[in-house]
Amino acid sequence: MPPPHAGPGRIRIAVAAAGVNALEWKLRAGQLRDVRPLELPSGTGGDAAGRVDEVGEGVTDVVPGDTVFGSGTDTYAEHAVLTSWAPVPPGASVVEAAGWPTPFETGLRVLEVLTAPPGATVVVNGAAGGVGSVVVQVARARGVRVVGVAGADNQDHLAALGAVPTTYGPGLRERVAALAPDGVDAAFDVAGSGVIPELVALTGDPSRVVSIADFSAPRYGALVSTGVGSDRAAALREGARLVAAGSLVLPVTATYPLDGAAAAQRRSATGHGRGRLVVTVP
Ligand SMILES: NC(=O)c1ccc[n+]([C@@H]2O[C@H](COP(=O)([O-])OP(=O)(O)OC[C@H]3O[C@@H](n4cnc5c(N)ncnc54)[C@H](OP(=O)(O)O)[C@@H]3O)[C@@H](O)[C@H]2O)c1
């Protein structure tokens, strides 16, 4: 592919690492062909971190040589154009930061939609992965009680993040209700595992249930949140601030070289993530 260049309001980075998100294998598998058809040959990847090497017209907050993380297009590559970015905070590695953009933006966005005040109880279905673990930590830092749902192997991990852990599968509604005797104020479905009716029953109000992966949610009166119209750069700066303050960690579980990107996407497609998968660029 010819190298891309930064247009107005954008920057180009020499990519050090690219974060792996489920969106990429879903696009590749054709699951989103009706809304986002691919033109082949196509690049892949939306998140990355690296050194700025081109600054488009109108960009004033970075200069070539700065190290940033952010979102753009075709980021599994030597060079990528970013549309939103923030500086990598001191003490963080560029590989770690490559895994942050989508979970930071999504997690912070959904917490705005859920509007859970301190003392409220929120259920997070799919709490141990990239997006879920950001939501658990930020909600806990805001004084919100979180019942986190993940597999048996991730129960200790959820507890370490500050959630009250429970498992998915039959009896979910009863297990969560027992762990939240004062009721559930809001529910966030990250996993898209077909539990919207149970989450609506737990909150007693479909407008208190938000999914990012189950597009049947509106059928039950629940909401679907997409990133359309979101101020991504503000979310990235806020996420970096929380990392620097010690209230948010989102570690890398595994790195793959650029020519191992297919294996990284296959692992992402299992839907059993803890922490982040990152493709590193030589
Ligand atoms: N709409 C948006 O704006 C948006 C943005 C970002 C991501 N997404 C979507 O959100 C989803 C999650 O993304 P992610 O990066 O957080 O994924 P991830 O890192 O792979 O995490 C998936 C999580 O779901 C849990 N899980 C798996 N099966 C489950 C089940 N049956 N019930 C409950 N939890 C289950 C996993 O726990 P175990 O490993 O313990 O099973 C893990 O905690 C993806 O489908 C992605 O496409 C949407």
Side-chain angles (χ1 to χ4, degrees), residues 21-23 26 102-103 105-106 109 125-132 149-152 154 168 190-191 193 212-213 215 225-227 268 271-276:
N21 290 293
L23 178 64
K26 289 181 182 178
T102 291
E105 186 278 325
T106 310
R109 165 179 24 111
N125 180 55
V131 177
V149 182
N154 274 323
Y168 43 79
V190 185
S193 54
I212 57 167
F215 293 93
S225 174
T226 65
S268 169
H272 297 292
R274 177 198 294 189
R276 300 289 290 145

PDB file of all heavy atoms in Angstrom, residues 21-23 26 102-103 105-106 109 125-132 149-152 154 168 190-191 193 212-213 215 225-227 268 271-276, ligand 1:
ATOM      1  N   ASN A  21      -8.631  -4.629  18.125  1.00  0.00           N
ATOM      2  CA  ASN A  21     -10.014  -4.542  18.595  1.00  0.00           C
ATOM      3  C   ASN A  21     -10.905  -5.496  17.810  1.00  0.00           C
ATOM      4  O   ASN A  21     -10.635  -5.794  16.640  1.00  0.00           O
ATOM      5  CB  ASN A  21     -10.539  -3.107  18.425  1.00  0.00           C
ATOM      6  CG  ASN A  21      -9.866  -2.162  19.396  1.00  0.00           C
ATOM      7  OD1 ASN A  21     -10.074  -2.261  20.605  1.00  0.00           O
ATOM      8  ND2 ASN A  21      -9.020  -1.289  18.889  1.00  0.00           N
ATOM      9  N   ALA A  22     -12.013  -5.910  18.459  1.00  0.00           N
ATOM     10  CA  ALA A  22     -12.932  -6.863  17.831  1.00  0.00           C
ATOM     11  C   ALA A  22     -13.485  -6.329  16.505  1.00  0.00           C
ATOM     12  O   ALA A  22     -13.767  -7.100  15.589  1.00  0.00           O
ATOM     13  CB  ALA A  22     -14.069  -7.176  18.789  1.00  0.00           C
ATOM     14  N   LEU A  23     -13.624  -5.000  16.414  1.00  0.00           N
ATOM     15  CA  LEU A  23     -14.145  -4.408  15.178  1.00  0.00           C
ATOM     16  C   LEU A  23     -13.378  -4.904  13.952  1.00  0.00           C
ATOM     17  O   LEU A  23     -13.951  -5.114  12.886  1.00  0.00           O
ATOM     18  CB  LEU A  23     -14.049  -2.872  15.278  1.00  0.00           C
ATOM     19  CG  LEU A  23     -14.512  -2.087  14.065  1.00  0.00           C
ATOM     20  CD1 LEU A  23     -16.009  -2.284  13.818  1.00  0.00           C
ATOM     21  CD2 LEU A  23     -14.211  -0.587  14.239  1.00  0.00           C
ATOM     22  N   LYS A  26     -14.400  -8.356  12.900  1.00  0.00           N
ATOM     23  CA  LYS A  26     -15.799  -8.313  12.452  1.00  0.00           C
ATOM     24  C   LYS A  26     -15.889  -7.726  11.045  1.00  0.00           C
ATOM     25  O   LYS A  26     -16.636  -8.212  10.196  1.00  0.00           O
ATOM     26  CB  LYS A  26     -16.642  -7.488  13.426  1.00  0.00           C
ATOM     27  CG  LYS A  26     -16.849  -8.182  14.765  1.00  0.00           C
ATOM     28  CD  LYS A  26     -17.704  -7.333  15.696  1.00  0.00           C
ATOM     29  CE  LYS A  26     -17.869  -8.000  17.046  1.00  0.00           C
ATOM     30  NZ  LYS A  26     -18.654  -7.180  17.990  1.00  0.00           N
ATOM     31  N   THR A 102      -9.483   2.702  21.932  1.00  0.00           N
ATOM     32  CA  THR A 102     -10.883   2.275  21.866  1.00  0.00           C
ATOM     33  C   THR A 102     -11.470   1.964  23.243  1.00  0.00           C
ATOM     34  O   THR A 102     -12.566   2.451  23.574  1.00  0.00           O
ATOM     35  CB  THR A 102     -11.041   1.091  20.882  1.00  0.00           C
ATOM     36  OG1 THR A 102     -10.812   1.598  19.567  1.00  0.00           O
ATOM     37  CG2 THR A 102     -12.422   0.473  20.958  1.00  0.00           C
ATOM     38  N   PRO A 103     -10.779   1.200  24.097  1.00  0.00           N
ATOM     39  CA  PRO A 103     -11.363   0.976  25.431  1.00  0.00           C
ATOM     40  C   PRO A 103     -11.541   2.265  26.233  1.00  0.00           C
ATOM     41  O   PRO A 103     -12.551   2.427  26.932  1.00  0.00           O
ATOM     42  CB  PRO A 103     -10.346   0.048  26.113  1.00  0.00           C
ATOM     43  CG  PRO A 103      -9.634  -0.617  25.002  1.00  0.00           C
ATOM     44  CD  PRO A 103      -9.588   0.375  23.886  1.00  0.00           C
ATOM     45  N   GLU A 105     -12.036   5.426  25.060  1.00  0.00           N
ATOM     46  CA  GLU A 105     -13.145   6.227  24.505  1.00  0.00           C
ATOM     47  C   GLU A 105     -14.480   5.551  24.782  1.00  0.00           C
ATOM     48  O   GLU A 105     -15.439   6.195  25.222  1.00  0.00           O
ATOM     49  CB  GLU A 105     -12.934   6.429  22.996  1.00  0.00           C
ATOM     50  CG  GLU A 105     -13.941   7.356  22.338  1.00  0.00           C
ATOM     51  CD  GLU A 105     -15.255   6.682  21.995  1.00  0.00           C
ATOM     52  OE1 GLU A 105     -15.271   5.471  21.624  1.00  0.00           O
ATOM     53  OE2 GLU A 105     -16.298   7.359  22.123  1.00  0.00           O
ATOM     54  N   THR A 106     -14.552   4.236  24.563  1.00  0.00           N
ATOM     55  CA  THR A 106     -15.832   3.536  24.731  1.00  0.00           C
ATOM     56  C   THR A 106     -16.252   3.520  26.204  1.00  0.00           C
ATOM     57  O   THR A 106     -17.397   3.810  26.546  1.00  0.00           O
ATOM     58  CB  THR A 106     -15.716   2.090  24.209  1.00  0.00           C
ATOM     59  OG1 THR A 106     -15.144   2.112  22.913  1.00  0.00           O
ATOM     60  CG2 THR A 106     -17.077   1.428  24.149  1.00  0.00           C
ATOM     61  N   ARG A 109     -17.275   6.991  27.430  1.00  0.00           N
ATOM     62  CA  ARG A 109     -18.527   7.385  26.772  1.00  0.00           C
ATOM     63  C   ARG A 109     -19.723   6.687  27.414  1.00  0.00           C
ATOM     64  O   ARG A 109     -20.736   7.322  27.725  1.00  0.00           O
ATOM     65  CB  ARG A 109     -18.448   7.031  25.286  1.00  0.00           C
ATOM     66  CG  ARG A 109     -19.783   7.056  24.601  1.00  0.00           C
ATOM     67  CD  ARG A 109     -19.767   6.745  23.103  1.00  0.00           C
ATOM     68  NE  ARG A 109     -18.697   5.985  22.566  1.00  0.00           N
ATOM     69  CZ  ARG A 109     -18.819   4.726  22.100  1.00  0.00           C
ATOM     70  NH1 ARG A 109     -19.972   4.098  22.163  1.00  0.00           N
ATOM     71  NH2 ARG A 109     -17.784   4.117  21.568  1.00  0.00           N
ATOM     72  N   ASN A 125     -21.660  -6.563  32.121  1.00  0.00           N
ATOM     73  CA  ASN A 125     -21.637  -7.907  31.551  1.00  0.00           C
ATOM     74  C   ASN A 125     -20.511  -7.983  30.519  1.00  0.00           C
ATOM     75  O   ASN A 125     -20.619  -7.417  29.433  1.00  0.00           O
ATOM     76  CB  ASN A 125     -22.986  -8.200  30.866  1.00  0.00           C
ATOM     77  CG  ASN A 125     -23.028  -9.582  30.254  1.00  0.00           C
ATOM     78  OD1 ASN A 125     -22.797 -10.576  30.937  1.00  0.00           O
ATOM     79  ND2 ASN A 125     -23.287  -9.651  28.946  1.00  0.00           N
ATOM     80  N   GLY A 126     -19.407  -8.668  30.892  1.00  0.00           N
ATOM     81  CA  GLY A 126     -18.213  -8.680  30.041  1.00  0.00           C
ATOM     82  C   GLY A 126     -17.186  -7.721  30.620  1.00  0.00           C
ATOM     83  O   GLY A 126     -16.603  -6.895  29.914  1.00  0.00           O
ATOM     84  N   ALA A 127     -16.948  -7.873  31.938  1.00  0.00           N
ATOM     85  CA  ALA A 127     -16.214  -6.840  32.682  1.00  0.00           C
ATOM     86  C   ALA A 127     -14.705  -7.005  32.662  1.00  0.00           C
ATOM     87  O   ALA A 127     -13.987  -6.089  33.074  1.00  0.00           O
ATOM     88  CB  ALA A 127     -16.711  -6.823  34.133  1.00  0.00           C
ATOM     89  N   ALA A 128     -14.200  -8.157  32.208  1.00  0.00           N
ATOM     90  CA  ALA A 128     -12.762  -8.409  32.363  1.00  0.00           C
ATOM     91  C   ALA A 128     -11.935  -7.986  31.147  1.00  0.00           C
ATOM     92  O   ALA A 128     -10.708  -7.949  31.221  1.00  0.00           O
ATOM     93  CB  ALA A 128     -12.525  -9.893  32.636  1.00  0.00           C
ATOM     94  N   GLY A 129     -12.586  -7.673  30.026  1.00  0.00           N
ATOM     95  CA  GLY A 129     -11.841  -7.379  28.800  1.00  0.00           C
ATOM     96  C   GLY A 129     -11.419  -5.924  28.720  1.00  0.00           C
ATOM     97  O   GLY A 129     -11.378  -5.212  29.732  1.00  0.00           O
ATOM     98  N   GLY A 130     -11.099  -5.479  27.500  1.00  0.00           N
ATOM     99  CA  GLY A 130     -10.584  -4.122  27.319  1.00  0.00           C
ATOM    100  C   GLY A 130     -11.552  -3.064  27.804  1.00  0.00           C
ATOM    101  O   GLY A 130     -11.256  -2.273  28.706  1.00  0.00           O
ATOM    102  N   VAL A 131     -12.756  -3.031  27.227  1.00  0.00           N
ATOM    103  CA  VAL A 131     -13.724  -1.988  27.575  1.00  0.00           C
ATOM    104  C   VAL A 131     -14.217  -2.181  29.005  1.00  0.00           C
ATOM    105  O   VAL A 131     -14.272  -1.234  29.794  1.00  0.00           O
ATOM    106  CB  VAL A 131     -14.927  -2.023  26.596  1.00  0.00           C
ATOM    107  CG1 VAL A 131     -15.968  -0.993  27.011  1.00  0.00           C
ATOM    108  CG2 VAL A 131     -14.463  -1.774  25.166  1.00  0.00           C
ATOM    109  N   GLY A 132     -14.557  -3.422  29.355  1.00  0.00           N
ATOM    110  CA  GLY A 132     -15.131  -3.691  30.669  1.00  0.00           C
ATOM    111  C   GLY A 132     -14.200  -3.300  31.796  1.00  0.00           C
ATOM    112  O   GLY A 132     -14.628  -2.696  32.789  1.00  0.00           O
ATOM    113  N   VAL A 149     -19.389  -9.209  35.484  1.00  0.00           N
ATOM    114  CA  VAL A 149     -19.691 -10.550  34.974  1.00  0.00           C
ATOM    115  C   VAL A 149     -18.588 -10.970  34.000  1.00  0.00           C
ATOM    116  O   VAL A 149     -18.294 -10.247  33.039  1.00  0.00           O
ATOM    117  CB  VAL A 149     -21.056 -10.567  34.240  1.00  0.00           C
ATOM    118  CG1 VAL A 149     -21.381 -11.976  33.749  1.00  0.00           C
ATOM    119  CG2 VAL A 149     -22.157 -10.017  35.138  1.00  0.00           C
ATOM    120  N   ALA A 150     -17.970 -12.114  34.281  1.00  0.00           N
ATOM    121  CA  ALA A 150     -16.957 -12.678  33.368  1.00  0.00           C
ATOM    122  C   ALA A 150     -16.865 -14.174  33.646  1.00  0.00           C
ATOM    123  O   ALA A 150     -17.606 -14.702  34.489  1.00  0.00           O
ATOM    124  CB  ALA A 150     -15.600 -11.992  33.564  1.00  0.00           C
ATOM    125  N   GLY A 151     -15.958 -14.855  32.940  1.00  0.00           N
ATOM    126  CA  GLY A 151     -15.807 -16.299  33.100  1.00  0.00           C
ATOM    127  C   GLY A 151     -15.135 -16.663  34.418  1.00  0.00           C
ATOM    128  O   GLY A 151     -14.608 -15.808  35.131  1.00  0.00           O
ATOM    129  N   ALA A 152     -15.154 -17.965  34.704  1.00  0.00           N
ATOM    130  CA  ALA A 152     -14.621 -18.461  35.987  1.00  0.00           C
ATOM    131  C   ALA A 152     -13.159 -18.061  36.175  1.00  0.00           C
ATOM    132  O   ALA A 152     -12.751 -17.693  37.280  1.00  0.00           O
ATOM    133  CB  ALA A 152     -14.774 -19.978  36.037  1.00  0.00           C
ATOM    134  N   ASN A 154     -11.666 -15.471  35.338  1.00  0.00           N
ATOM    135  CA  ASN A 154     -11.441 -14.029  35.529  1.00  0.00           C
ATOM    136  C   ASN A 154     -12.058 -13.475  36.809  1.00  0.00           C
ATOM    137  O   ASN A 154     -12.070 -12.253  37.013  1.00  0.00           O
ATOM    138  CB  ASN A 154     -11.976 -13.247  34.319  1.00  0.00           C
ATOM    139  CG  ASN A 154     -10.930 -13.159  33.219  1.00  0.00           C
ATOM    140  OD1 ASN A 154      -9.737 -13.022  33.499  1.00  0.00           O
ATOM    141  ND2 ASN A 154     -11.372 -13.238  31.978  1.00  0.00           N
ATOM    142  N   TYR A 168     -21.027 -15.704  34.084  1.00  0.00           N
ATOM    143  CA  TYR A 168     -22.156 -15.688  33.155  1.00  0.00           C
ATOM    144  C   TYR A 168     -22.755 -17.090  33.063  1.00  0.00           C
ATOM    145  O   TYR A 168     -22.300 -18.008  33.731  1.00  0.00           O
ATOM    146  CB  TYR A 168     -21.765 -15.127  31.785  1.00  0.00           C
ATOM    147  CG  TYR A 168     -20.446 -15.570  31.189  1.00  0.00           C
ATOM    148  CD1 TYR A 168     -20.307 -16.804  30.570  1.00  0.00           C
ATOM    149  CD2 TYR A 168     -19.331 -14.729  31.216  1.00  0.00           C
ATOM    150  CE1 TYR A 168     -19.107 -17.188  29.986  1.00  0.00           C
ATOM    151  CE2 TYR A 168     -18.126 -15.104  30.641  1.00  0.00           C
ATOM    152  CZ  TYR A 168     -18.022 -16.334  30.025  1.00  0.00           C
ATOM    153  OH  TYR A 168     -16.836 -16.716  29.460  1.00  0.00           O
ATOM    154  N   VAL A 190     -21.284  -5.316  27.634  1.00  0.00           N
ATOM    155  CA  VAL A 190     -20.109  -5.212  26.764  1.00  0.00           C
ATOM    156  C   VAL A 190     -20.024  -6.437  25.860  1.00  0.00           C
ATOM    157  O   VAL A 190     -19.606  -6.344  24.710  1.00  0.00           O
ATOM    158  CB  VAL A 190     -18.800  -5.167  27.601  1.00  0.00           C
ATOM    159  CG1 VAL A 190     -17.591  -4.947  26.705  1.00  0.00           C
ATOM    160  CG2 VAL A 190     -18.866  -4.099  28.670  1.00  0.00           C
ATOM    161  N   ALA A 191     -20.417  -7.587  26.390  1.00  0.00           N
ATOM    162  CA  ALA A 191     -20.143  -8.855  25.711  1.00  0.00           C
ATOM    163  C   ALA A 191     -21.092  -9.150  24.558  1.00  0.00           C
ATOM    164  O   ALA A 191     -20.750  -9.915  23.662  1.00  0.00           O
ATOM    165  CB  ALA A 191     -20.191  -9.996  26.729  1.00  0.00           C
ATOM    166  N   SER A 193     -23.856 -10.865  24.733  1.00  0.00           N
ATOM    167  CA  SER A 193     -24.101 -12.306  24.854  1.00  0.00           C
ATOM    168  C   SER A 193     -25.577 -12.663  24.986  1.00  0.00           C
ATOM    169  O   SER A 193     -25.905 -13.742  25.491  1.00  0.00           O
ATOM    170  CB  SER A 193     -23.306 -12.836  26.061  1.00  0.00           C
ATOM    171  OG  SER A 193     -23.630 -12.086  27.222  1.00  0.00           O
ATOM    172  N   ILE A 212     -23.024  -2.217  23.867  1.00  0.00           N
ATOM    173  CA  ILE A 212     -22.189  -1.788  22.734  1.00  0.00           C
ATOM    174  C   ILE A 212     -22.035  -2.916  21.715  1.00  0.00           C
ATOM    175  O   ILE A 212     -21.357  -2.747  20.709  1.00  0.00           O
ATOM    176  CB  ILE A 212     -20.790  -1.307  23.178  1.00  0.00           C
ATOM    177  CG1 ILE A 212     -20.043  -2.386  23.978  1.00  0.00           C
ATOM    178  CG2 ILE A 212     -20.892   0.002  23.944  1.00  0.00           C
ATOM    179  CD1 ILE A 212     -18.562  -2.089  24.172  1.00  0.00           C
ATOM    180  N   ALA A 213     -22.633  -4.070  21.979  1.00  0.00           N
ATOM    181  CA  ALA A 213     -22.385  -5.206  21.094  1.00  0.00           C
ATOM    182  C   ALA A 213     -23.626  -6.026  20.773  1.00  0.00           C
ATOM    183  O   ALA A 213     -23.540  -6.988  20.019  1.00  0.00           O
ATOM    184  CB  ALA A 213     -21.321  -6.113  21.723  1.00  0.00           C
ATOM    185  N   PHE A 215     -27.128  -5.629  19.088  1.00  0.00           N
ATOM    186  CA  PHE A 215     -27.970  -4.695  18.342  1.00  0.00           C
ATOM    187  C   PHE A 215     -29.458  -5.045  18.432  1.00  0.00           C
ATOM    188  O   PHE A 215     -30.293  -4.376  17.839  1.00  0.00           O
ATOM    189  CB  PHE A 215     -27.455  -4.565  16.905  1.00  0.00           C
ATOM    190  CG  PHE A 215     -26.097  -3.898  16.889  1.00  0.00           C
ATOM    191  CD1 PHE A 215     -24.928  -4.656  16.901  1.00  0.00           C
ATOM    192  CD2 PHE A 215     -25.986  -2.521  16.958  1.00  0.00           C
ATOM    193  CE1 PHE A 215     -23.683  -4.041  16.964  1.00  0.00           C
ATOM    194  CE2 PHE A 215     -24.755  -1.899  17.024  1.00  0.00           C
ATOM    195  CZ  PHE A 215     -23.598  -2.658  17.021  1.00  0.00           C
ATOM    196  N   SER A 225     -24.961   2.029  22.236  1.00  0.00           N
ATOM    197  CA  SER A 225     -24.065   3.182  22.098  1.00  0.00           C
ATOM    198  C   SER A 225     -23.010   2.875  21.044  1.00  0.00           C
ATOM    199  O   SER A 225     -22.354   1.836  21.084  1.00  0.00           O
ATOM    200  CB  SER A 225     -23.390   3.477  23.444  1.00  0.00           C
ATOM    201  OG  SER A 225     -22.426   4.493  23.279  1.00  0.00           O
ATOM    202  N   THR A 226     -22.853   3.813  20.092  1.00  0.00           N
ATOM    203  CA  THR A 226     -21.764   3.717  19.111  1.00  0.00           C
ATOM    204  C   THR A 226     -20.898   4.957  19.318  1.00  0.00           C
ATOM    205  O   THR A 226     -21.281   5.862  20.037  1.00  0.00           O
ATOM    206  CB  THR A 226     -22.306   3.705  17.668  1.00  0.00           C
ATOM    207  OG1 THR A 226     -22.922   4.968  17.427  1.00  0.00           O
ATOM    208  CG2 THR A 226     -23.310   2.589  17.451  1.00  0.00           C
ATOM    209  N   GLY A 227     -19.754   4.989  18.672  1.00  0.00           N
ATOM    210  CA  GLY A 227     -18.860   6.124  18.890  1.00  0.00           C
ATOM    211  C   GLY A 227     -19.178   7.340  18.052  1.00  0.00           C
ATOM    212  O   GLY A 227     -18.443   8.337  18.086  1.00  0.00           O
ATOM    213  N   SER A 268      -8.495 -12.350  19.288  1.00  0.00           N
ATOM    214  CA  SER A 268      -9.513 -11.356  19.638  1.00  0.00           C
ATOM    215  C   SER A 268     -10.913 -11.920  19.393  1.00  0.00           C
ATOM    216  O   SER A 268     -11.841 -11.691  20.180  1.00  0.00           O
ATOM    217  CB  SER A 268      -9.289 -10.090  18.802  1.00  0.00           C
ATOM    218  OG  SER A 268     -10.370  -9.210  18.906  1.00  0.00           O
ATOM    219  N   GLY A 271     -13.329 -13.696  21.940  1.00  0.00           N
ATOM    220  CA  GLY A 271     -14.187 -12.947  22.863  1.00  0.00           C
ATOM    221  C   GLY A 271     -13.871 -13.192  24.320  1.00  0.00           C
ATOM    222  O   GLY A 271     -14.676 -12.890  25.191  1.00  0.00           O
ATOM    223  N   HIS A 272     -12.699 -13.742  24.596  1.00  0.00           N
ATOM    224  CA  HIS A 272     -12.322 -14.000  25.991  1.00  0.00           C
ATOM    225  C   HIS A 272     -11.048 -13.241  26.332  1.00  0.00           C
ATOM    226  O   HIS A 272     -10.006 -13.835  26.595  1.00  0.00           O
ATOM    227  CB  HIS A 272     -12.152 -15.496  26.249  1.00  0.00           C
ATOM    228  CG  HIS A 272     -13.424 -16.256  26.061  1.00  0.00           C
ATOM    229  ND1 HIS A 272     -14.508 -16.112  26.901  1.00  0.00           N
ATOM    230  CD2 HIS A 272     -13.811 -17.128  25.103  1.00  0.00           C
ATOM    231  CE1 HIS A 272     -15.496 -16.877  26.476  1.00  0.00           C
ATOM    232  NE2 HIS A 272     -15.100 -17.491  25.387  1.00  0.00           N
ATOM    233  N   GLY A 273     -11.165 -11.925  26.281  1.00  0.00           N
ATOM    234  CA  GLY A 273      -9.970 -11.113  26.520  1.00  0.00           C
ATOM    235  C   GLY A 273      -9.813 -10.702  27.971  1.00  0.00           C
ATOM    236  O   GLY A 273     -10.786 -10.491  28.682  1.00  0.00           O
ATOM    237  N   ARG A 274      -8.573 -10.638  28.417  1.00  0.00           N
ATOM    238  CA  ARG A 274      -8.247  -9.931  29.666  1.00  0.00           C
ATOM    239  C   ARG A 274      -7.092  -9.022  29.278  1.00  0.00           C
ATOM    240  O   ARG A 274      -6.111  -9.495  28.713  1.00  0.00           O
ATOM    241  CB  ARG A 274      -7.794 -10.907  30.736  1.00  0.00           C
ATOM    242  CG  ARG A 274      -7.390 -10.177  32.010  1.00  0.00           C
ATOM    243  CD  ARG A 274      -6.551 -11.015  32.935  1.00  0.00           C
ATOM    244  NE  ARG A 274      -7.254 -12.150  33.498  1.00  0.00           N
ATOM    245  CZ  ARG A 274      -6.746 -12.905  34.478  1.00  0.00           C
ATOM    246  NH1 ARG A 274      -5.563 -12.660  34.968  1.00  0.00           N
ATOM    247  NH2 ARG A 274      -7.419 -13.919  34.942  1.00  0.00           N
ATOM    248  N   GLY A 275      -7.204  -7.720  29.549  1.00  0.00           N
ATOM    249  CA  GLY A 275      -6.154  -6.827  29.077  1.00  0.00           C
ATOM    250  C   GLY A 275      -6.217  -6.714  27.563  1.00  0.00           C
ATOM    251  O   GLY A 275      -7.246  -6.976  26.943  1.00  0.00           O
ATOM    252  N   ARG A 276      -5.091  -6.340  26.953  1.00  0.00           N
ATOM    253  CA  ARG A 276      -5.116  -5.977  25.541  1.00  0.00           C
ATOM    254  C   ARG A 276      -4.161  -6.809  24.691  1.00  0.00           C
ATOM    255  O   ARG A 276      -3.119  -7.265  25.161  1.00  0.00           O
ATOM    256  CB  ARG A 276      -4.706  -4.502  25.415  1.00  0.00           C
ATOM    257  CG  ARG A 276      -5.639  -3.585  26.173  1.00  0.00           C
ATOM    258  CD  ARG A 276      -6.990  -3.493  25.514  1.00  0.00           C
ATOM    259  NE  ARG A 276      -6.898  -2.780  24.270  1.00  0.00           N
ATOM    260  CZ  ARG A 276      -7.631  -3.078  23.185  1.00  0.00           C
ATOM    261  NH1 ARG A 276      -8.488  -4.066  23.189  1.00  0.00           N
ATOM    262  NH2 ARG A 276      -7.496  -2.363  22.090  1.00  0.00           N
TER     263      ARG A 276
HETATM  264  N1  LIG B   1     -20.208   0.041  20.006  1.00  0.00           N
HETATM  265  C1  LIG B   1     -18.984   0.464  20.325  1.00  0.00           C
HETATM  266  O1  LIG B   1     -18.730   1.668  20.347  1.00  0.00           O
HETATM  267  C2  LIG B   1     -17.906  -0.543  20.655  1.00  0.00           C
HETATM  268  C3  LIG B   1     -16.643  -0.077  21.020  1.00  0.00           C
HETATM  269  C4  LIG B   1     -15.668  -1.009  21.437  1.00  0.00           C
HETATM  270  C5  LIG B   1     -15.966  -2.378  21.443  1.00  0.00           C
HETATM  271  N2  LIG B   1     -17.207  -2.783  21.042  1.00  0.00           N
HETATM  272  C6  LIG B   1     -17.566  -4.225  21.083  1.00  0.00           C
HETATM  273  O2  LIG B   1     -17.558  -4.616  22.457  1.00  0.00           O
HETATM  274  C7  LIG B   1     -17.219  -5.983  22.561  1.00  0.00           C
HETATM  275  C8  LIG B   1     -16.161  -6.164  23.660  1.00  0.00           C
HETATM  276  O3  LIG B   1     -14.969  -5.510  23.338  1.00  0.00           O
HETATM  277  P1  LIG B   1     -13.667  -5.726  24.258  1.00  0.00           P
HETATM  278  O4  LIG B   1     -12.525  -5.107  23.522  1.00  0.00           O
HETATM  279  O5  LIG B   1     -13.910  -5.314  25.654  1.00  0.00           O
HETATM  280  O6  LIG B   1     -13.531  -7.337  24.187  1.00  0.00           O
HETATM  281  P2  LIG B   1     -12.616  -8.334  25.012  1.00  0.00           P
HETATM  282  O7  LIG B   1     -11.402  -7.632  25.525  1.00  0.00           O
HETATM  283  O8  LIG B   1     -12.457  -9.553  24.171  1.00  0.00           O
HETATM  284  O9  LIG B   1     -13.513  -8.707  26.314  1.00  0.00           O
HETATM  285  C9  LIG B   1     -14.663  -9.502  26.215  1.00  0.00           C
HETATM  286  C10 LIG B   1     -15.215  -9.735  27.623  1.00  0.00           C
HETATM  287  O10 LIG B   1     -16.463 -10.427  27.543  1.00  0.00           O
HETATM  288  C11 LIG B   1     -16.465 -11.510  28.482  1.00  0.00           C
HETATM  289  N3  LIG B   1     -17.356 -12.544  27.988  1.00  0.00           N
HETATM  290  C12 LIG B   1     -17.143 -13.490  27.037  1.00  0.00           C
HETATM  291  N4  LIG B   1     -18.259 -14.240  26.884  1.00  0.00           N
HETATM  292  C13 LIG B   1     -19.179 -13.731  27.749  1.00  0.00           C
HETATM  293  C14 LIG B   1     -20.535 -14.070  28.057  1.00  0.00           C
HETATM  294  N5  LIG B   1     -21.178 -15.085  27.450  1.00  0.00           N
HETATM  295  N6  LIG B   1     -21.168 -13.344  28.998  1.00  0.00           N
HETATM  296  C15 LIG B   1     -20.555 -12.298  29.618  1.00  0.00           C
HETATM  297  N7  LIG B   1     -19.275 -11.941  29.381  1.00  0.00           N
HETATM  298  C16 LIG B   1     -18.609 -12.650  28.444  1.00  0.00           C
HETATM  299  C17 LIG B   1     -15.030 -11.925  28.577  1.00  0.00           C
HETATM  300  O11 LIG B   1     -14.795 -12.606  29.821  1.00  0.00           O
HETATM  301  P3  LIG B   1     -14.073 -14.067  29.850  1.00  0.00           P
HETATM  302  O12 LIG B   1     -12.766 -13.913  29.088  1.00  0.00           O
HETATM  303  O13 LIG B   1     -13.859 -14.287  31.304  1.00  0.00           O
HETATM  304  O14 LIG B   1     -15.019 -15.026  29.181  1.00  0.00           O
HETATM  305  C18 LIG B   1     -14.327 -10.575  28.528  1.00  0.00           C
HETATM  306  O15 LIG B   1     -14.373  -9.995  29.806  1.00  0.00           O
HETATM  307  C19 LIG B   1     -16.798  -6.427  21.161  1.00  0.00           C
HETATM  308  O16 LIG B   1     -17.895  -7.113  20.576  1.00  0.00           O
HETATM  309  C20 LIG B   1     -16.552  -5.121  20.417  1.00  0.00           C
HETATM  310  O17 LIG B   1     -16.776  -5.238  19.019  1.00  0.00           O
HETATM  311  C21 LIG B   1     -18.181  -1.901  20.646  1.00  0.00           C
END
